[in-house]
Amino acid sequence: MVFKSLTTRVIILTISLLAFGISVYTYLNLKREQTQLINAARESTELLLNTIERSIYSSMRIGNTEDTRAILEMVGQNTKLAGVRIFHPHGTILKSSIPGEVGGLLNPSDYQLFLQGKKEGVFAQDGLGEVLVMQKPIYNDEPCHVCHGGKSRIIGILDVNYSLQETRRRMWEATRLFILSTVAIVCFLAITISLVMFKFVKKPLTHLTEKMALVEQGDLSVRMQPFGKDEVGRLMSSFDSMVERLDNAKRELEQLHFQQMERADRLASVGEMAAGIAHEIKNPLTGIAAAITIIKDDFTPADPRTEIVNEVLEQVKRLDKTVNDLLFFGKPTPPEPTYADLNALLKKTLMFASQHRGVKSIEKRLELQENLPPVYVDGKQIQQVLLNLILNAVQAMPAGGLLTITSQLVEQAGKQWVRVSIADTGQGIPPLILGKIFTPFFTTKAQGTGLGLAICHKLVTQHQGTIAVTSEDGRGTVFTVSLPADQLPCGPDNDQPTNPIPIEKEHP
């Protein structure tokens, strides 16, 4: 669980990188310090070697061997020297700061160094630890011929053993100091980075997470106080802004939902009341119409009362239509679907609509696609929709115009649809009204009920279809009805589908 925390991972990664970098830097400095100490020991040994050589050169040149021995013993008292000696090329010790070595054989490691032709080396000696051995040949110069003759080129080798115990001790102290410094620096940085991360990152993010959990539970009153003006502070400010917008949107949605529910409840109540009233009014209207018809038969066509009676009958018919609309909207009749040819329904509906007195001054144009697949609908209800839309188009062109009715097969969302468009060239519908025309009881007509398009929308929807409208102010309106295409089933009386166009099955 610890490593699932982003802050913990960042802290561990940062400290690891710092520890690695500081360790590498410390290691390089330590190696440099060790090299410097070894070089210092080498320089001291070389300086001592040259000093001893010059000191004994004068004594050896005059053959004073006692002075040479005394010089070696005096120099050998230095605690850093493990031994100073002069040995013969054959390995015999001629002079030494340690009297007991004279005449004996040289240490094998020192003699091997001479045989290999090297001038220095580091060896471990019993009781002395590591020793830096430096050797320098003593050449047989002309003054030395008096004692050593002129045959040998080298008369001896000066051998100095410099103890590295002090150097190693200083190296260990330097190493310990570097290690302790590295650990201290890494611990200090780790604590500092952890405190900074927890204070400026972990704490704000935890606070933000807790507030987000409250918002997730539905509490949109949550607000945060930004800790600063950095990225986390800006994130908190953005969070507050987002929650405030969500809170406002929630309130607006709740208010809108309440209004819609209230309106739907009112509409349901009005619909039930209207259906009840319409049912009560329909029977008296039928009686009134029958009585007026009988009275009309008693008048001659020339009687001025005939015109009044005809107007009364016209108003009774209008009231009857309104009552029928209210009854249908309050309790629609369930559809009785069958396979129907939409082109045939359009031609039949247009023939009925042509009997309307306003259609005679309007040019009618049919643009029907041949071989349309059938639609599985209630023919009477769809005919009612088409008739309503055609009459609305006619009423939108009181001074005449062009009525265009088209049908076509379209494909949308992987399904095939039979689409009918009814277009007029009237004044069009203003944009503010266009979104309300399918709302029940909304109408702009003086004698309308506002139920015609609402009923059309309900009928098309219960047939799994869609109805849409587009309008340009001053240029006309187009109503589009789309119904799912289907195929006639194969049966005893219909071996093959009459529709040659392959379509996708889509039953409502």
Side-chain angles (χ1 to χ4, degrees), residues 153-422:
R153 182 171 176 270
I154 298 175
I155 58 177
I157 295 91
L158 179 61
D159 180 87
V160 177
N161 290 359
Y162 188 90
S163 176
L164 294 178
Q165 286 185 348
E166 179 66 17
T167 301
R168 292 301 180 188
R169 185 184 65 79
R170 292 174 61 184
M171 289 172 61
W172 166 243
E173 290 180 354
T175 301
R176 185 174 60 180
L177 177 63
F178 277 117
I179 292 175
L180 292 176
S181 300
T182 301
V183 173
I185 291 173
V186 171
C187 291
F188 173 76
L189 290 177
I191 294 173
T192 304
I193 292 173
S194 299
L195 291 176
V196 170
M197 291 294 293
F198 276 103
K199 179 175 179 57
F200 295 104
V201 179
K202 177 71 173 179
K203 185 177 179 181
L205 289 180
T206 302
H207 186 55
L208 180 62
T209 304
E210 293 173 352
K211 297 298 183 182
M212 290 180 69
L214 294 176
V215 173
E216 187 178 1
Q217 294 172 4
D219 184 4
L220 296 181
S221 63
V222 174
R223 296 294 184 272
M224 300 186 66
Q225 185 65 33
F227 287 83
K229 296 183 179 180
D230 54 6
E231 290 81 356
V232 178
R234 291 197 295 271
L235 178 62
M236 291 182 174
S237 299
S238 300
F239 174 81
D240 284 348
S241 177
M242 178 191 69
V243 173
E244 185 174 359
R245 291 184 180 181
L246 286 174
D247 192 20
N248 294 334
K250 180 183 177 183
R251 291 177 182 175
E252 293 176 0
L253 285 174
E254 288 177 349
Q255 185 178 2
L256 180 61
H257 179 68
F258 176 76
Q259 292 174 355
Q260 289 179 341
M261 292 298 293
E262 191 178 35
R263 182 170 177 271
D265 185 62
R266 287 200 305 267
L267 286 175
S269 300
V270 170
E272 291 179 2
M273 181 180 66
I277 293 174
H279 188 271
E280 294 298 326
I281 292 175
K282 186 171 179 62
N283 291 334
L285 279 179
T286 303
I288 291 172
I292 295 297
T293 302
I294 294 173
I295 294 173
K296 178 184 175 183
D297 293 339
D298 295 336
F299 301 142
T300 62
D303 193 327
R305 292 174 293 181
T306 302
E307 184 178 353
I308 298 174
V309 172
N310 287 335
E311 182 64 25
V312 172
L313 284 174
E314 187 68 25
Q315 294 301 322
V316 169
K317 289 180 180 178
R318 187 177 69 80
L319 288 174
D320 186 63
K321 179 181 183 305
T322 302
V323 168
N324 288 331
D325 287 347
L326 286 171
L327 287 173
F328 182 86
F329 188 76
K331 189 177 181 181
T333 304
E336 299 178 0
T338 58
Y339 291 96
D341 183 355
L342 203 55
N343 283 345
L345 283 178
L346 281 171
K347 293 176 183 178
K348 185 177 180 180
T349 305
L350 184 59
M351 182 185 67
F352 290 152
S354 298
Q355 308 304 317
H356 194 276
R357 58 189 174 187
V359 180
K360 296 179 180 179
S361 62
I362 293 175
E363 179 184 353
K364 298 176 286 296
R365 181 183 299 171
L366 280 176
E367 298 177 355
L368 306 181
Q369 180 177 332
E370 298 295 333
N371 297 324
L372 284 179
V375 289
Y376 193 66
V377 296
D378 186 323
K380 292 181 180 180
Q381 291 185 357
I382 296 302
Q383 188 174 359
Q384 180 182 348
V385 172
L386 298 176
L387 181 60
N388 199 342
L389 295 179
I390 291 174
L391 292 179
N392 283 349
V394 170
Q395 293 172 5
M397 300 180 289
L402 175 62
L403 174 65
T404 305
I405 301 175
T406 61
S407 66
Q408 58 181 332
L409 181 66
V410 297
E411 185 171 347
Q412 185 177 0
K415 296 182 180 179
Q416 289 190 318
W417 303 78
V418 177
R419 178 171 295 172
V420 175
S421 298
I422 299 173

